[in-house]
Amino acid sequence: MFSPDATILVGSSGRNPRRRQRTASDDSIVLRENPKRRKRSKLAPDTFEEPEATKQNGHARKSKAHAGSTSNGVDHRAQHDAGADTASLVIRNKGKKRTDRDSKNTEDGIVLTKNDNYLITHAPGIPEELRDIVGTERWHAALSPHLGYAVALTRTQAIVWRYKQTNAPGDSSRPLVVKLPYPSDDVRSPLPLGAVVHDTGVGELALLVIMPNSGKVTYWENILLAASMDLVRQKPQGLYGVVNGLQSSEKISNVTEAEPDGFLLTFSTGRVAHLAIRDPQGRPLITTQYLPGNGSPSSGLLSLRGLRNVLGVGWRREIAAVKSGPLSGKSRRICIAATAKGSFQIWDLIRHSTKTLRFEVDAKEEMSRYIRDACPEVTDFAPDAFNVLDFTFFPTAKGRGDEMENHRLLVLTACIGETFTRYVLLDTVIRDKSLDVEIVHPILCYSEKEAVTNIRKPQVLLPEPAHTAFVVFSRSITMVSLAMIEQTPSSQLQIESHSLPDPFQDTLYFRKEPDYYVVGCDVALQDRETENASCVLFVHGFGLVQVTALQVGGGLSTTARAAVTAKTKIEQAIFFGSMPQNLLDLSRRSEFTFDIEEIEAAALEVNDSIMKSTSDYIPAMAPSMEHLLKLRATALADLIKYLQRFQYPLKKLSRWKLLWSAEKMAAARALWKVHNANIGNLSLDEKSSTSLLVELFDMLSEELKVENHPSRGETDIVRHYLMHDIWRIESVIPWAEKAVREIYRELKEGLVSTTENVKGLDATAQATIVSQADDITISMLEAAFGFRSMNAALYGIDPNNLEDGVLQDGYEDLPEVWTSTRATVLNVKELTDLSRQTVIYFSEETSEGELDIEILKKLAIDNPRLVRLCCQIYEERSRWLRAQPDPSMKAKGESLLQKYLKDRKDLIVKIAELEIPAEGVKLAEKYQDMQALADILYADTGLITERMSVVGLSESEEEELEVRLKNNTRKMETYFTTYGTNWANAFYSKQVNEGRLDDLFDSCGSPAQDSLTQYLRSHKEYTKFGWINEAIGEHNYAKTASDLTEAQKTENRLWNKKIELSISKLALLAAEEQQQIINDEQLRQNRRVERQMNIVDIQQQLYQYIRPTIQNAIDDAAELQLAVDAFCKPLKGRPTLRKAMERILKKLIAWDVVSAEDMIDMLTLLDLTKPNSEDTDIPDLRFFHALKLLSYLRLESKDAGRDELLEKCIWRRCIILENWEDLNKTELKNDKEVDVKLQATAVFRTLKAGFADGLFNTLPPPLPQSLHGAGTTLSSLLSSKNYSQSSEPHLDALAKELSTEDALLEKALDKGRLGLWWAGLVETARRANTKKAKFSSQSYPTSKKKDGKSTKDKENSTHGHSTRASVSHQSSAQPPPAASASSSLSVPQPEMNGALDAGGTPIPVKRKREERGEGMVLRNDGERRRAAAVVATVNRVDGAAAAAAAGQPSTVTVRLDGEGDVFMDS
């Protein structure tokens, strides 16, 4: 039937000449000219009616003149890869027939992405008829956008349907299925090529199908007839033919419409042929003519060219594209073919005439040169890197007559490098047989190398109005703006400064999973109402996609449209990238590079638009507020996911701002759920009267919300707020509590009637309002902290640095955290208290039936949640404040931390008042607040014990109380193991604070002994009674002595201090007996105790000295005044020193402990020269005592500046006490007289006592000349730490007063020649000491150390009347009575001590001196017995234990004399 030589095949391949010729009346092919039948509706591009019941067959009519052309010369017949597998193509379910009302949505389809520059939609239109073949056969499709039709071709059939819906009456979208007459038997052969066209002869839609391998052609003038044809029972309809001249292995690769004369065929060998479907008379006829200069067989078989063609090598080259140009007149059209290497051939196509090659242009060098100039990065590419990929005609303006001479083309080229490919669009003009490049448009947003070798070559589309070109790649599409920059002064300046932005261009990629790729594309007809430019894509696995480049609008200039911003990319990714089954991969990193600052700014701008509902991509309102809030929350989540995917190094503040916005959105969603639930089951009247949230939003000031306007229909204040004000929703949290109090206030003051807002002030209404306030606060804060905990890592925040959503550290450079503003902290705390108080109040004040008990239960259950939230926001705010650089903020943070610790304990403990102590215990355990835990368990245990004592309890009640008691006891015991020291501290502190010392020491010897000891030892302030545990619990007498020694350091009362020192000394003796202390350690302890006792003794002497002067005073003020008047005379004119002495005298008179430094000042500054008491040697040895105190100070604490200053002041004051000018007058005086005078001076007495005591072995007397300047300057005073905290004016005044002492010293050196007398005076004192066997006052007897140095040891022994002392040894308000015995500093020690034996006889002391440092240790048995007895008695050991410890058969009692010395009765 198909013969290679046949050029005309109508119906069958030929006619039998013997067969009777048919007439026109019975010819089944020729359609008779029946006017009635011709009146039926035609199948036209804008109408597609159902076929009539009576099917028609007939021959084509005579052709009519047709002046139509392709749309502005643009090719609309791009063919698709015949081998494309479209098994995964998405087929839409056939829905209901769309009406005129929803036709706009149908045409627009589903928006895949949009912005100010373009819109991409998923167009509807895949018929159900494709369902059966999608998964079983290969198929592909061709588009006819100007007709709105598509054809899907398989190996056996073609399916035609209208994919672009219209509103035309009678329009039908039912697909038509056409069975192909000659299907290929090879299932692997290329699929047929096809096109839906408008037949100019009959005015119907026609279908062309070509078999690529065999060249068989089938053409149906009427698709309806083709679809209704039955190949088995009816004769075939249409035209049939074959493409002649096909070479071996040559295939037809593309079909291009070239109406009105036919089609252009492109072959795999590079040849181009013209296919006509009518003869010159307009009758159906299929003919093929190869274009000259392109491998035409007309050259002759024997010619060289013909031979080369037969061998298939003469014209083999790669054709990039073949396009038919605009129609000129009614029968002429230009055809241009471009090769991959840059050659262009231009043919004249004249209808029913010879096709002639006008000329050929080799433009490779021209185009390469312009590309290299515009794209320097391709300069080093290989010579063969240049390729032409595609081209298209620019749409021509109507009325132009030069379109046949000058051809403006947009050429897509590629320079293929090793690592990337640079694609370039060239705006060219072919004129005068040459190609000129007008404009170069480099494509900077796409550079993938493999695109050229992908499934299909890139294709360029240029739809009207030609302001944007579309470059379609296999798996992406690029849009490039061709609009010219307006000539304005601004643009001129930008051009001159080389700052003019590049024209707009952008690339959108397809998702890789599933495998989407383009199998067909074409331009779309321009919408005449707009200046938009569109193209249509057929995407494998997806469907039809329309890409529209929007016109520049809104007053934007072309330059403004040029910008592809980071904000645009982010918006596309978050608003469209997460759409299910979206074709586009909008989350892919763009080839545009943006600064991180621009990305941050864009992200925050997009974030703000979502929070404020100003984004164009978020609906302004929706029936479901929950859905709308979820949509916004999803957008915020997609925003951070997009930023994290590309690991943009966002600043810390930016990351936190994004997180806080997402938290607020989560809080808003939780708030809406609570509000929705609260009003869900209420009537309209109840909703308006019981919704606290409505009242709250109404109370907010204009600064905290966008006002709603009921006149505009904005009556829902809650929805209005959630639409516009979530970005500042933090104000709602504190206002939850404020709103409750405001409503109460208004009702109380009568500002609101009982029918407004809140119906009445009954208990249920009040409790309900408080409950709603709880709901608002709890829902928002729990949602916010929960979101932060769950999503911190997504925002680049270490989740390990969060605890319950609260950041542990790292608040530097962060603004105030929205969940813990100052108002939030205060008002949430207030609401927590209010909620608890509401439960307690109404539980006590309302009777049964007045209040819904369920509301109170809910308030009680919610209170622990509020307490927990209080703790979270307290911690967060205090940490933030302490991290601020401002010292005042840090101080506020510390203050708030202390307040938090106090409030936390109170809030947790008060949960027990709601009769849910278990909840309080849980919170105390969570925060490890041991004080609160101890308080709750202590109180609950006491309550249980109290209830168990009530008479009349049922058996079940008793069992329940017993179980609770056992549980509490078990918990308290296990806490010692679980929490260790922390629990022990809290538990024992509770006992101490409650005054339950008996319970405390009941733990002695129990399993908790170690915890008790550790607790007491860790609290220095408890050493006053902690030593009891050391004695009776630990039997550690060395630690007992140490504790007492430490306790006396902080003791303010002299009486108590002396007792503590005395017991400490005896405890040391007991420790030695028990071998708990080595000799050296005991020596050091003894020395410390001795030093402190000596200091106490000096203070006692001072008091004894001034007592006669003040003993007749009527009150304390009079005592002080008498002492000041009597002893501060030397300080006249020295107010600073006088004021200091008044302060010290006040303490001395009150029997308070005076420091050693203050006593040194008293001894050296006061007038103590007159003998005032026989019990003291103060007048004679006061400077010696001052030096002794200084030596003690040096041993107790290190302060070289203080020591030097005090030493110089002591000697200077000692020197200036005498008139050295008179002493220097020795004329007419013998040596004895001079010696008597010098020995009567304070200096000599001090030197003599010091040598006798051995004091000067470590503290030698200085030269008088070295005493200058001590304390007379600011720097000299500041050398002592004692003055480091004093103000500068005070120190200046003090230095000025001390300068007077310096002046007197200078006079003594100058007039009295003290410098000459000094050496002799010192030597005389030394000789005087050596002449006597012992210093007359045995206060500081000396002994020799092992190294031979002189040391001292004061033997304390007291006399006189003794009194019994209580164990508690608490401070006495009045000083003790004066001792009847003389002072140990001035009276020789007796050989018998004050202790008596059982018969009343004094116990002799056998003193064995052992050279142990500076002191002597008593070694007789009596002292040992007395030491053990004192410790045993003081610690309340029973008689038997005391006797055993002391080694005596009877009980021992301690007696203290008036001076605090210890004695023993047995």
Side-chain angles (χ1 to χ4, degrees):
M1 179 177 178
F2 288 87
S3 172
D5 298 329
T7 58
I8 301 177
L9 295 170
V10 180
S12 61
S13 60
R15 295 184 179 182
N16 188 344
R18 297 181 181 180
R19 187 175 182 182
R20 182 178 62 87
Q21 298 293 322
R22 295 185 182 186
T23 63
S25 60
D26 60 6
D27 193 341
S28 63
I29 298 180
V30 178
L31 180 64
R32 292 188 294 271
E33 298 287 344
N34 188 340
K36 292 183 179 180
R37 297 182 69 85
R38 289 181 58 84
K39 289 182 180 179
R40 67 178 177 83
S41 298
K42 298 188 298 181
L43 182 62
D46 57 349
T47 60
F48 199 159
E49 296 181 345
E50 296 289 347
E52 296 177 356
T54 304
K55 298 181 180 180
Q56 298 180 356
N57 296 323
H59 192 62
R61 303 180 186 86
K62 294 181 180 180
S63 63
K64 296 183 290 183
H66 178 62
S69 66
T70 58
S71 177
N72 290 314
V74 182
D75 172 26
H76 299 295
R77 290 297 168 268
Q79 298 301 315
H80 316 296
D81 191 339
D85 180 10
T86 56
S88 61
L89 182 68
V90 177
I91 304 299
R92 293 182 175 272
N93 292 329
K94 183 178 180 181
K96 65 174 184 173
K97 183 177 179 179
R98 296 184 179 271
T99 62
D100 293 345
R101 178 174 297 179
D102 58 10
S103 62
K104 183 178 184 299
N105 291 334
T106 302
E107 184 174 356
D108 292 344
I110 300 174
V111 177
L112 301 180
T113 186
K114 67 176 182 178
N115 55 32
D116 294 337
N117 294 322
Y118 52 82
L119 168 67
I120 301 180
T121 57
H122 186 187
I126 301 297
E128 289 187 6
E129 282 73 5
L130 291 180
R131 283 182 175 272
D132 297 335
I133 65 173
V134 164
T136 58
E137 296 185 43
R138 293 183 301 121
W139 69 292
H140 71 154
L143 303 175
S144 296
H146 63 301
L147 299 176
Y149 285 90
V151 56
L153 295 158
T154 71
R155 189 174 57 85
T156 60
Q157 61 184 347
I159 302 174
V160 181
W161 77 97
R162 178 185 288 276
Y163 69 87
K164 184 176 183 181
Q165 302 297 329
T166 66
N167 295 330
D171 186 14
S172 174
S173 59
R174 186 178 67 83
L176 300 176
V177 180
V178 179
K179 294 183 179 181
L180 302 183
Y182 303 106
S184 174
D185 295 332
D186 187 359
V187 294
R188 296 176 296 178
S189 63
L191 292 173
L193 303 176
V196 178
V197 297
H198 180 218
D199 189 280
T200 59
V202 297
E204 302 283 354
L205 288 180
L207 175 63
L208 172 71
V209 177
I210 301 177
M211 307 305 291
N213 284 349
S214 63
K216 295 178 181 179
V217 180
T218 305
Y219 180 77
W220 289 275
E221 294 176 312
N222 190 321
I223 298 179
L224 282 176
L225 295 179
S228 62
M229 178 185 66
D230 188 335
L231 295 179
V232 177
R233 291 177 295 176
Q234 297 182 9
K235 294 181 179 181
Q237 303 294 317
L239 305 179
Y240 304 92
V242 66
V243 177
N244 65 329
L246 277 176
Q247 298 178 359
S248 176
S249 72
E250 187 177 34
K251 297 179 178 63
I252 302 171
S253 58
N254 197 21
V255 177
T256 304
E257 183 181 353
E259 289 290 347
D261 199 35
F263 302 88
L264 294 174
L265 306 180
T266 304
F267 296 85
S268 59
T269 58
R271 296 193 297 165
V272 180
H274 180 269
L275 176 70
I277 59 173
R278 294 188 185 276
D279 62 11
Q281 287 73 36
R283 292 175 298 182
L285 178 66
I286 296 177
T287 59
T288 304
Q289 179 181 353
Y290 288 91
L291 299 187
N294 205 338
S296 172
S298 60
S299 302
L301 182 60
L302 300 178
S303 66
L304 178 60
R305 186 173 187 178
L307 180 61
R308 291 167 63 88
N309 288 334
V310 171
L311 297 176
V313 297
W315 188 248
R316 287 191 178 272
R317 58 180 177 174
E318 183 180 357
I319 294 293
V322 176
K323 301 294 174 71
S324 58
L327 188 67
S328 178
K330 295 183 178 181
S331 60
R332 186 182 181 190
R333 186 187 293 272
I334 291 296
C335 170
I336 300 179
T339 67
K341 296 306 178 183
S343 295
F344 292 84
Q345 288 182 324
I346 296 89
W347 288 281
D348 266 339
L349 303 182
I350 302 175
R351 188 177 184 183
H352 308 311
S353 178
T354 305
K355 313 327 181 198
T356 60
L357 176 63
R358 296 183 63 189
F359 59 88
E360 182 174 357
V361 177
D362 186 358
K364 177 179 179 180
E365 293 300 327
E366 178 75 5
M367 291 187 291
S368 298
R369 178 169 58 85
Y370 275 93
I371 292 174
R372 286 194 297 269
D373 291 343
C375 307
E377 65 272 17
V378 305
T379 304
D380 297 332
F381 282 14
D384 59 347
F386 173 81
N387 283 273
V388 173
L389 303 179
D390 192 21
F391 76 92
T392 186
F393 286 90
F394 270 86
T396 57
K398 293 183 179 180
R400 288 184 55 181
D402 61 346
E403 62 270 13
M404 297 302 295
E405 302 299 331
N406 300 329
H407 312 289
R408 187 180 179 191
L409 309 178
L410 184 63
V411 183
L412 174 62
T413 65
C415 292
I416 305 173
E418 294 182 359
T419 59
F420 72 97
T421 299
R422 174 62 65 217
Y423 298 93
V424 181
L425 288 175
L426 299 176
D427 186 347
T428 64
V429 176
I430 297 178
R431 63 166 71 93
D432 299 330
K433 298 184 180 181
S434 64
L435 184 143
D436 298 328
V437 178
E438 301 288 336
I439 304 175
V440 180
H441 300 280
I443 299 177
L444 304 177
C445 58
Y446 188 86
S447 61
E448 292 193 10
K449 179 180 178 181
E450 54 270 68
V452 178
T453 59
N454 232 324
I455 297 173
R456 58 177 284 115
K457 289 184 179 180
Q459 187 172 344
V460 60
L461 304 176
L462 185 60
E464 290 184 319
H467 58 63
T468 302
F470 299 87
V471 181
V472 182
F473 298 94
S474 292
R475 291 181 172 84
S476 63
I477 181 170
T478 298
M479 290 157 281
V480 180
S481 174
L482 306 181
M484 300 298 294
I485 301 298
E486 299 175 4
Q487 296 295 324
T488 63
S490 176
S491 64
Q492 288 292 339
L493 290 174
Q494 287 179 313
I495 292 174
E496 293 174 2
S497 62
H498 302 285
S499 61
L500 190 68
D502 294 327
F504 163 76
Q505 54 181 253
D506 197 4
T507 297
L508 295 174
Y509 298 88
F510 300 164
R511 289 182 176 177
K512 294 182 179 180
E513 295 293 338
D515 189 14
Y516 295 132
Y517 54 86
V518 176
V519 294
C521 62
D522 215 322
V523 298
L525 295 181
Q526 180 186 3
D527 184 357
R528 298 301 177 182
E529 296 180 359
T530 66
E531 293 295 323
N532 298 338
S534 301
C535 70
V536 181
L537 310 180
F538 201 102
V539 181
H540 165 271
F542 190 78
L544 288 169
V545 177
Q546 179 162 326
V547 184
T548 303
L550 305 177
Q551 62 179 346
V552 179
L556 294 176
S557 65
T558 306
T559 305
R561 187 175 185 264
V564 175
T565 63
K567 179 185 176 184
T568 301
K569 289 297 181 182
I570 292 175
E571 286 179 331
Q572 287 181 316
I574 67 173
F575 292 115
F576 299 102
S578 60
M579 288 176 55
Q581 297 182 351
N582 195 340
L583 164 70
L584 304 175
D585 183 5
L586 298 172
S587 62
R588 179 169 176 169
R589 183 189 290 270
S590 171
E591 293 202 18
F592 291 105
T593 56
F594 304 105
D595 294 337
I596 186 61
E597 291 78 10
E598 182 181 356
I599 294 173
E600 277 187 322
L604 293 175
E605 187 177 352
V606 173
N607 176 78
D608 290 344
S609 69
I610 298 172
M611 297 299 292
K612 298 177 181 179
S613 293
T614 58
S615 173
D616 295 335
Y617 309 103
I618 298 237
M621 185 56 68
S624 172
M625 177 56 68
E626 168 59 24
H627 173 73
L628 190 56
L629 292 174
K630 182 178 179 180
L631 184 67
R632 295 163 71 184
T634 301
L636 292 174
D638 291 339
L639 173 59
I640 190 60
K641 289 177 182 176
Y642 174 83
L643 298 172
Q644 284 292 93
R645 182 178 296 111
F646 302 118
Q647 298 181 349
Y648 291 122
L650 299 180
K651 295 178 181 177
K652 174 182 176 181
L653 179 58
S654 299
R655 288 186 279 110
W656 274 100
K657 284 183 177 180
L658 295 175
L659 174 58
W660 288 337
S661 293
E663 293 171 7
K664 292 178 181 179
M665 191 61 66
R669 294 182 67 187
L671 180 63
W672 173 254
K673 288 180 180 179
V674 168
H675 175 68
N676 213 27
N678 285 340
I679 66 175
N681 299 320
L682 300 177
S683 65
L684 182 62
D685 208 31
E686 290 173 327
K687 291 178 182 179
S688 62
S689 63
T690 59
S691 177
L692 177 66
L693 193 61
V694 174
E695 294 295 323
L696 187 155
F697 286 145
D698 188 56
M699 292 178 186
L700 290 178
S701 62
E702 295 181 359
E703 293 79 11
L704 301 178
K705 67 179 180 181
V706 174
E707 286 290 342
N708 65 310
H709 300 281
S711 60
R712 302 176 187 171
E714 299 171 351
T715 57
D716 193 337
I717 191 172
V718 177
R719 281 183 168 87
H720 187 271
Y721 182 91
L722 295 179
M723 280 299 300
H724 302 286
D725 297 297
I726 293 179
W727 62 279
R728 48 185 170 186
I729 201 172
E730 62 269 17
S731 59
V732 175
I733 301 174
W735 264 98
E737 188 270 340
K738 291 180 183 179
V740 174
R741 295 193 182 275
E742 186 66 17
I743 291 174
Y744 285 175
R745 184 188 65 80
E746 291 178 354
L747 288 169
K748 184 177 180 180
E749 296 178 1
L751 300 178
V752 181
S753 67
T754 57
T755 59
E756 267 186 83
N757 300 313
V758 178
K759 288 187 174 181
L761 201 58
D762 59 278
T764 300
Q766 294 183 50
T768 300
I769 292 174
V770 176
S771 176
Q772 290 184 11
D774 287 356
D775 291 341
I776 292 171
T777 303
I778 291 172
S779 63
M780 292 182 64
L781 286 176
E782 284 187 346
F785 285 120
F787 183 91
R788 190 182 300 168
S789 297
M790 294 290 292
N791 298 277
L794 188 61
Y795 290 83
I797 298 166
D798 183 7
N800 296 323
N801 197 25
L802 291 175
E803 183 179 358
D804 291 335
V806 178
L807 189 66
Q808 300 298 299
D809 54 59
Y811 288 92
E812 294 78 10
D813 304 324
L814 289 182
E816 185 179 46
V817 185
W818 78 275
T819 49
S820 56
T821 63
R822 182 175 180 273
T824 298
V825 172
L826 295 176
N827 290 98
V828 172
K829 166 67 166 55
E830 293 294 326
L831 179 62
T832 306
D833 291 335
L834 176 62
S835 178
R836 182 185 64 256
Q837 293 164 3
T838 300
V839 176
I840 296 173
Y841 175 79
F842 286 123
S843 298
E844 297 174 351
E845 300 296 330
T846 57
S847 59
E848 185 176 357
E850 292 184 27
L851 177 66
D852 185 358
I853 194 64
E854 295 301 323
I855 296 179
L856 293 186
K857 288 182 179 179
K858 178 182 177 300
L859 287 172
I861 293 173
D862 286 344
N863 196 257
R865 297 168 68 187
L866 283 173
V867 171
R868 179 173 179 175
L869 291 172
C870 266
C871 294
Q872 290 174 254
I873 61 178
Y874 258 123
E875 288 180 346
E876 186 172 73
R877 182 159 186 84
S878 65
R879 290 170 184 169
W880 177 77
L881 286 170
R882 285 178 289 155
Q884 303 309 302
D886 186 355
S888 63
M889 299 284 279
K890 289 181 180 293
K892 290 180 180 179
E894 293 294 340
S895 175
L896 184 64
L897 176 61
Q898 299 305 316
K899 185 178 185 301
Y900 159 59
L901 296 177
K902 178 181 179 301
D903 288 349
R904 182 182 69 185
K905 176 190 171 185
D906 293 342
L907 291 172
I908 293 176
V909 170
K910 288 180 180 179
I911 291 177
E913 298 177 6
L914 303 176
E915 298 185 359
I916 47 174
E919 296 298 323
V921 169
K922 289 179 182 178
L923 283 176
E925 290 176 344
K926 172 180 175 53
Y927 291 101
Q928 296 190 12
D929 192 330
M930 299 296 103
Q931 290 290 346
L933 195 58
D935 286 354
I936 293 175
L937 291 176
Y938 221 78
D940 190 46
T941 301
L943 181 63
I944 294 172
T945 304
E946 181 180 347
R947 289 183 179 179
M948 291 179 69
S949 63
V950 175
V951 179
L953 290 177
S954 65
E955 184 176 350
S956 61
E957 290 176 334
E958 289 182 354
E959 290 180 357
E960 180 182 356
L961 292 175
E962 288 177 358
V963 170
R964 286 179 56 186
L965 184 61
K966 289 180 180 178
N967 288 338
N968 287 352
T969 304
R970 178 182 54 79
K971 284 183 178 180
M972 288 187 287
E973 291 175 352
T974 57
Y975 288 160
F976 282 102
T977 303
T978 305
Y979 301 113
T981 303
N982 293 335
W983 165 249
N985 290 347
F987 181 71
Y988 294 131
S989 294
K990 181 67 177 177
Q991 292 180 327
V992 171
N993 295 335
E994 294 289 331
R996 304 293 298 271
L997 294 183
D998 52 344
D999 293 341
L1000 180 72
F1001 291 113
D1002 282 344
S1003 300
C1004 292
S1006 69
Q1009 173 65 51
D1010 292 341
S1011 298
L1012 175 61
T1013 301
Q1014 187 177 3
Y1015 166 74
L1016 292 173
R1017 288 179 179 178
S1018 63
H1019 291 76
K1020 299 296 183 182
E1021 64 274 19
Y1022 293 161
T1023 52
K1024 284 182 176 294
F1025 53 84
W1027 61 272
I1028 299 176
N1029 173 69
E1030 298 295 340
I1032 65 176
E1034 297 293 332
H1035 305 290
N1036 188 339
Y1037 303 118
K1039 187 65 171 62
T1040 301
S1042 176
D1043 283 355
L1044 287 167
T1045 303
E1046 289 296 322
Q1048 62 84 27
K1049 290 181 180 179
T1050 58
E1051 184 60 67
N1052 294 324
R1053 303 294 295 171
L1054 186 64
W1055 171 252
N1056 295 342
K1057 184 171 184 175
K1058 186 170 184 179
I1059 292 176
E1060 290 164 352
L1061 289 170
S1062 299
I1063 299 177
S1064 173
K1065 186 173 181 180
L1066 294 177
L1068 285 173
L1069 296 176
E1072 184 183 13
E1073 183 74 19
Q1074 298 294 326
Q1075 296 182 350
Q1076 295 176 355
I1077 187 170
I1078 60 175
N1079 292 338
D1080 291 342
E1081 179 62 26
Q1082 182 187 18
L1083 178 60
R1084 287 192 291 270
Q1085 291 270 23
N1086 272 328
R1087 287 176 178 175
R1088 284 193 290 268
V1089 173
E1090 290 291 343
R1091 286 195 295 267
Q1092 292 299 323
M1093 294 191 71
N1094 287 339
I1095 294 174
V1096 170
D1097 196 65
I1098 293 174
Q1099 181 175 343
Q1100 284 182 310
Q1101 289 194 63
L1102 280 170
Y1103 179 79
Q1104 294 298 330
Y1105 181 82
I1106 68 172
R1107 184 176 181 183
T1109 304
I1110 64 174
Q1111 62 185 355
N1112 296 324
I1114 60 176
D1115 56 19
D1116 294 342
E1119 286 182 338
L1120 177 62
Q1121 188 61 46
L1122 289 173
V1124 170
D1125 293 341
F1127 303 111
C1128 292
K1129 294 177 182 179
L1131 301 179
K1132 184 177 182 180
R1134 302 165 76 180
T1136 303
L1137 291 173
R1138 181 183 177 89
K1139 186 175 181 180
M1141 285 302 103
E1142 290 179 0
R1143 173 182 58 82
I1144 299 171
L1145 282 171
K1146 184 177 181 181
K1147 294 176 68 176
L1148 181 68
I1149 294 171
W1151 207 256
D1152 289 338
V1153 175
V1154 179
S1155 67
E1157 294 95 324
D1158 288 343
M1159 281 196 287
I1160 289 174
D1161 285 338
M1162 290 180 66
L1163 290 168
T1164 57
L1165 289 174
L1166 295 182
D1167 183 7
L1168 304 177
T1169 56
K1170 298 179 180 179
N1172 209 28
S1173 172
E1174 296 180 356
D1175 297 333
T1176 178
D1177 58 0
I1178 290 296
D1180 294 332
L1181 299 178
R1182 56 173 175 157
F1183 291 102
F1184 169 72
H1185 292 321
L1187 290 173
K1188 287 293 292 183
L1189 289 172
L1190 177 58
S1191 68
Y1192 298 154
L1193 277 178
R1194 285 184 169 180
L1195 294 174
E1196 294 294 331
S1197 62
K1198 302 298 181 181
D1199 187 352
R1202 175 203 64 189
D1203 298 341
E1204 181 181 0
L1205 179 62
L1206 287 176
E1207 182 184 11
K1208 289 183 178 180
C1209 288
I1210 292 171
W1211 281 109
R1212 184 173 62 191
R1213 291 167 185 172
C1214 181
I1215 290 172
I1216 63 177
L1217 193 63
E1218 312 294 343
N1219 187 343
W1220 291 95
E1221 187 175 358
D1222 290 344
L1223 291 173
N1224 187 51
K1225 297 177 181 179
T1226 58
E1227 59 272 13
L1228 301 178
K1229 296 179 181 178
N1230 58 26
D1231 289 344
K1232 185 177 181 179
E1233 291 176 319
V1234 173
D1235 188 56
V1236 169
K1237 281 191 174 184
L1238 288 176
Q1239 291 186 20
T1241 62
V1243 172
F1244 182 82
R1245 291 195 299 270
T1246 301
L1247 289 170
K1248 186 177 178 182
F1251 284 121
D1253 180 70
L1255 174 65
F1256 296 149
N1257 293 336
T1258 57
L1259 195 66
L1263 294 175
Q1265 296 86 340
S1266 66
L1267 307 178
H1268 277 297
T1272 59
T1273 62
L1274 186 63
S1275 60
S1276 177
L1277 291 173
L1278 290 177
S1279 64
S1280 172
K1281 295 178 182 179
N1282 291 342
Y1283 299 108
S1284 60
Q1285 302 298 324
S1286 302
S1287 64
E1288 189 171 338
H1290 172 76
L1291 295 180
D1292 288 339
L1294 180 60
K1296 185 177 180 181
E1297 293 180 10
L1298 293 178
S1299 298
T1300 59
E1301 297 179 4
D1302 236 24
L1304 294 175
L1305 175 63
E1306 183 64 29
K1307 182 178 179 182
L1309 291 171
D1310 186 22
K1311 302 294 185 179
R1313 297 194 302 170
L1314 178 60
L1316 298 178
W1317 287 100
W1318 186 257
L1321 193 62
V1322 170
E1323 183 60 26
T1324 302
R1326 181 182 291 109
R1327 289 198 308 269
N1329 182 65
T1330 56
K1331 290 180 180 179
K1332 296 184 177 180
K1334 187 183 293 186
F1335 184 57
S1336 61
S1337 176
Q1338 298 182 12
S1339 303
Y1340 305 99
T1342 62
S1343 63
K1344 292 290 184 178
K1345 287 186 177 180
K1346 293 181 180 180
D1347 57 3
K1349 294 184 178 179
S1350 176
T1351 59
K1352 72 278 184 185
D1353 175 43
K1354 179 185 176 195
E1355 298 175 3
N1356 287 324
S1357 182
T1358 57
H1359 313 274
H1361 180 70
S1362 64
T1363 59
R1364 297 184 182 272
S1366 65
V1367 174
S1368 62
H1369 62 80
Q1370 295 181 355
S1371 301
S1372 174
Q1374 297 295 331
S1380 59
S1382 60
S1383 170
S1384 61
L1385 289 175
S1386 57
V1387 180
Q1389 300 295 335
E1391 290 297 320
M1392 307 294 290
N1393 68 1
L1396 304 176
D1397 61 11
T1401 306
I1403 300 175
V1405 179
K1406 298 179 181 179
R1407 301 189 181 278
K1408 178 182 179 183
R1409 295 183 176 273
E1410 294 186 0
E1411 299 183 65
R1412 295 188 177 181
E1414 298 179 359
M1416 293 181 60
V1417 180
L1418 302 180
R1419 287 299 186 187
N1420 61 44
D1421 296 336
E1423 287 186 339
R1424 291 194 178 91
R1425 291 196 303 272
R1426 181 163 64 245
V1430 167
V1431 175
T1433 304
V1434 171
N1435 290 285
R1436 299 174 301 162
V1437 181
D1438 59 23
Q1448 297 291 327
S1450 59
T1451 303
V1452 189
T1453 304
V1454 172
R1455 291 188 298 114
L1456 303 177
D1457 72 345
E1459 297 297 326
D1461 290 329
V1462 184
F1463 291 86
M1464 178 187 70
D1465 290 337
S1466 57

